[in-house]
Amino acid sequence: MKRIFNSLRARIIALVIVFCVLISAIFIGVLNYAYMGYYDELRQRQGSEFARNIVAMYPQLGDFEKLDRADVESLFEKMLLLDPRSAIYLLDSDGRIRAGYTKERSIGSKANVSLGPIRRVLNAPIGQTVYGDDPDFTGQRRLFAVAPLVAASAKAEPAGYVYVLMRPPNTDVASTLMQSYANRSAIAVAVGGTLFSALLVFAVLSLITRPLKRLTDAADAVSADDTHGALSLNMLPPGGDELRSDEIGRLSRAFRAMVMRLREQAHQVKRVDANRREWVANVSHDLRTPLTSLIGHLETIQMRGERMSVEDRVRFLDVAMRNAQHLDRLSSSLFDLARLESDDLPLDKSPAHLGEFLDDFVARFAAVAETRNIALTVEYPPGLPLVSIDAALVERALANLMDNALRYTPSGGAIMLSTTPRDNGVAIAVADSGTGIDATMLAHVFERFFQGSRHREGGGHAGLGLAVVERVAQLHGGRASAANRDSGGAVFELWFPLS
């Protein structure tokens, strides 16, 4: 039983049934109250007509001096043959009982009747029910009817009253209700309405809670997933719920989108973790190889000392220097990325003209390009808007791109740096005439630790140089992109917003 009521649908249905039963009970109670009120009103109206008929048929009842009490009581007894529980009393103008007949008790247990209720009945509007004294049962109020008696002298005030007391029958309320076809019909309607309402609520709740249960089961399956993030699409509820235009449909679509995002994020985490493991291995290798070579050459110089020729000493020191520079570039890339990953990295921004910025930047690489017979050009349109940048960071990112371009551009090739306004911002492009980028790697070249990026950057960076480029663009609210040129070579672009 406790497990059943753990269901939202079961609790709502039980609540609706209790509510319907309560409404039905109130309805039946109000019906009984209204029925009894109407029944008493009808009886009082009929009793008043009966009392008026008595007065009309026996006008001598108002002359108390000539009244024979035994004859009057015998007359009243005959009138009550059809309703023996009722009683008829003859009252004078003060409410004293002059004669009467009742089978309940002997007349005289109470000598008089209050005139207040009698006057209210005679003056009350139609539809108002009044209860008066029962002479035979002290302290009890009964339904009654009354008609005034007029004396022979025709005084303005009534000489007395014919007081008809209508005692209730010896039946309970349930029996009284069930004796009426209208009451039986109303009770049947109330019970049937309760059952119909419960069935209708059950059907409606089934339509509503069935997709919710499917979503709950799917959520439980995702929560209990032990595949380490490899969420299966079989965990999702049927697609039919997503076609609905109501809140259930919106919830189903949102749940599916959430699971798809979790699935993609899980795959991304696995991919990044695999790249990280490979990167750690690559960095270890890249550190170990030049470090081993550096130590070996230095040990050789130390061991041979004066016996080494000047030419050999210079050659060994040159190799050691190149290995040391390789280690310096690698450590610089690691430090740059770690620093840029900080959430509270302050940016020293200032407005800059990117065209003039590129002119100054290219001058640093002019000698290297000339040595390798590579043409360096800068292009930018007039009237270029100013952009707020951290010049040192942007220069670091461009240096990484220039290193790649110089490495992959053959002798006799060209590297062009350009800047153009676009999309409410300014873009810097670095295009080379080298071998380009493998199409399968274009979407991943900016991912840190990515092996293809590492091959593109060459030794000394371990796949971090392009990650640094993208992070610099992101810190400025911009973006980085890469593509292959139709004429050959690759083009890398940094876009910075004007605001």
Side-chain angles (χ1 to χ4, degrees):
M1 182 65 70
K2 183 178 180 181
R3 183 178 179 182
I4 294 177
F5 282 95
N6 284 335
S7 168
L8 176 63
R9 178 171 59 180
R11 289 200 295 267
I12 294 178
I13 291 175
L15 181 63
V16 169
I17 291 177
V18 171
F19 178 76
C20 290
V21 170
L22 180 62
I23 293 298
S24 298
I26 294 174
F27 173 76
I28 293 174
V30 171
L31 175 66
N32 176 58
Y33 178 80
Y35 170 79
M36 296 304 295
Y38 172 74
Y39 181 67
D40 286 351
E41 177 188 346
L42 181 61
R43 290 184 65 201
Q44 193 166 58
R45 195 181 307 165
Q46 292 174 343
S48 297
E49 184 67 24
F50 176 61
R52 286 193 294 271
N53 288 336
I54 294 176
V55 172
M57 293 175 62
Y58 303 98
Q60 66 273 19
L61 292 176
D63 192 354
F64 296 119
E65 295 180 358
K66 301 179 180 180
L67 188 67
D68 188 337
R69 180 168 181 167
D71 292 340
V72 172
E73 292 179 351
S74 177
L75 176 63
F76 287 170
E77 181 181 7
K78 294 176 182 179
M79 293 179 180
L80 294 177
L81 290 176
L82 298 178
D83 189 8
R85 283 191 54 80
S86 297
I88 303 177
Y89 302 95
L90 188 62
L91 309 178
D92 61 16
S93 59
D94 295 326
R96 291 191 298 270
I97 298 175
R98 293 300 188 92
Y101 175 78
T102 176
K103 293 186 66 175
E104 294 295 331
R105 297 177 64 184
S106 61
I107 299 293
S109 60
K110 185 175 181 182
N112 62 322
V113 174
S114 299
L115 294 180
I118 294 176
R119 294 191 180 100
R120 284 201 298 274
V121 168
L122 295 176
N123 299 320
I126 297 176
Q128 180 177 349
T129 304
V130 181
Y131 298 88
D133 293 341
D134 186 342
D136 293 323
F137 296 93
T138 304
Q140 294 190 12
R141 311 283 285 180
R142 304 287 189 188
L143 186 68
F144 71 96
V146 67
L149 293 169
V150 181
S153 59
K155 295 188 299 181
E157 293 292 329
Y161 305 93
V162 174
Y163 188 79
V164 180
L165 197 64
M166 293 169 284
R167 297 189 177 98
N170 289 324
T171 55
D172 56 14
V173 174
S175 300
T176 302
L177 284 174
M178 297 308 295
Q179 288 174 0
S180 170
Y181 173 77
N183 291 338
R184 293 197 302 271
S185 300
I187 294 174
V189 168
V191 174
T194 299
L195 295 177
F196 176 76
S197 299
L199 292 176
L200 181 62
V201 169
F202 177 79
V204 172
L205 284 178
S206 296
L207 293 176
I208 296 175
T209 58
R210 189 177 295 118
L212 289 178
K213 186 177 185 303
R214 288 195 289 265
L215 283 173
T216 303
D217 294 341
D220 290 341
V222 172
S223 176
D225 175 52
D226 58 355
T227 58
H228 305 288
L231 302 175
S232 172
L233 294 180
N234 294 330
M235 296 178 178
L236 294 173
D241 294 339
E242 300 175 14
L243 302 178
R244 300 171 56 152
S245 59
D246 55 8
E247 289 79 359
I248 299 297
R250 290 168 54 192
L251 181 61
S252 299
R253 291 189 292 272
F255 182 80
R256 176 176 285 270
M258 180 194 69
V259 172
M260 297 302 292
R261 281 198 303 271
L262 288 175
R263 193 165 181 259
E264 179 60 28
Q265 290 171 358
H267 291 166
Q268 184 177 2
V269 168
K270 286 186 175 182
R271 185 169 61 249
V272 171
D273 184 65
N275 291 338
R276 180 188 61 81
R277 293 174 185 272
E278 184 178 0
W279 172 81
V280 170
N282 291 333
V283 169
S284 299
H285 177 269
D286 286 351
L287 286 172
R288 185 183 300 111
T289 300
L291 189 60
T292 301
S293 177
L294 175 63
I295 293 174
H297 283 79
L298 292 177
E299 286 180 345
T300 301
I301 294 173
Q302 184 182 38
M303 290 173 60
R304 296 179 62 178
E306 298 297 333
R307 291 174 296 164
M308 180 178 288
S309 64
V310 175
E311 293 80 4
D312 288 342
R313 184 185 297 273
V314 171
R315 182 168 55 85
F316 272 63
L317 288 174
D318 184 59
V319 173
M321 178 61 69
R322 287 199 300 271
N323 286 319
Q325 291 172 345
H326 181 86
L327 290 173
D328 179 66
R329 288 194 301 270
L330 181 58
S331 61
S332 295
S333 295
L334 290 171
F335 174 76
D336 287 344
L337 185 61
R339 184 171 62 93
L340 294 175
E341 285 294 328
S342 175
D343 293 332
D344 55 352
L345 176 68
L347 297 183
D348 185 15
K349 286 186 176 182
S350 61
H353 187 284
L354 292 186
E356 299 174 356
F357 179 82
L358 290 182
D359 285 334
D360 296 337
F361 172 77
V362 166
R364 292 174 44 194
F365 296 87
V368 177
E370 184 178 356
T371 302
R372 300 183 183 182
N373 192 24
I374 297 174
L376 278 182
T377 58
V378 176
E379 293 184 0
Y380 54 88
L384 198 66
L386 299 180
V387 179
S388 181
I389 61 171
D390 185 321
L393 288 181
V394 174
E395 186 174 350
R396 182 71 178 89
L398 289 176
N400 287 349
L401 295 179
M402 280 297 297
D403 286 340
N404 286 343
L406 289 170
R407 186 177 301 110
Y408 284 92
T409 301
S411 177
I415 299 175
M416 183 179 69
L417 285 80
S418 61
T419 177
T420 54
R422 186 175 69 248
D423 299 335
N424 197 30
V426 178
I428 299 177
V430 178
D432 62 56
S433 58
T435 58
I437 306 172
D438 189 333
T440 60
M441 299 181 180
L442 273 175
H444 306 288
V445 290
F446 290 106
E447 293 181 7
R448 65 204 68 182
F449 320 135
F450 184 64
Q451 186 177 10
S453 175
R454 178 172 177 268
H455 292 336
R456 172 74 187 175
E457 296 172 20
H461 292 280
L464 296 177
L466 295 180
V468 170
V469 171
E470 184 182 45
R471 182 58 181 164
V472 169
Q474 292 173 348
L475 288 172
H476 286 79
R479 58 180 179 269
S481 61
N484 285 320
R485 303 173 65 191
D486 295 335
S487 58
V491 56
F492 288 84
E493 184 178 275
L494 293 176
W495 178 85
F496 301 101
L498 290 179
S499 54

